[in-house]
Amino acid sequence: VKSEPDEYSIDTLKDSPGGRGFWDGVRNFQARNLLQKMKVGDQALFYHSSCKVPAIVGVCQVVEEAKPDPTALDPKHKQYDEKSDPDK
């Protein structure tokens, strides 16, 4: 999984309640499809991108299977996507 460290870093994930996070704002279809294939217990490399030194910074584990991204359905959110289907 990749994230910009100034938006959501591996430290943010570690400091989250129970060390759990939610990936939202994924609009790239290939990335979304790969996330949807992940199953509980799968491990993933955590990659910091769009920073001075892009790199794999840790390993994380899937604790819940993919579900629709609520930010895509919220017209007030910067990641709103009017074409989004709440069932996908």
Side-chain angles (χ1 to χ4, degrees):
V1 294
K2 88 167 189 72
S3 184
E4 292 76 23
D6 59 337
E7 291 285 327
Y8 193 91
S9 71
I10 193 160
D11 292 327
T12 306
L13 177 62
K14 288 177 187 174
D15 294 340
S16 297
R20 295 175 65 138
F22 179 74
W23 248 246
D24 62 4
V26 178
R27 298 297 179 262
N28 176 286
F29 291 109
Q30 186 175 15
R32 183 205 62 198
N33 292 342
L34 289 171
L35 287 171
Q36 288 176 341
K37 289 181 180 182
M38 293 177 142
K39 302 294 179 200
V40 173
D42 286 352
Q43 291 191 329
L45 300 175
F46 195 114
Y47 180 80
H48 280 174
S49 65
S50 300
C51 56
K52 190 172 183 177
V53 182
I56 295 169
V57 294
V59 178
C60 54
Q61 184 171 351
V62 176
V63 296
E64 188 176 339
E65 292 188 14
K67 56 186 174 187
D69 179 356
T71 66
L73 306 171
D74 181 358
K76 296 177 184 167
H77 196 277
K78 68 179 182 177
Q79 295 290 347
Y80 173 65
D81 181 357
E82 64 185 31
K83 298 177 189 173
S84 286
D85 181 342
D87 297 324
K88 290 189 178 182

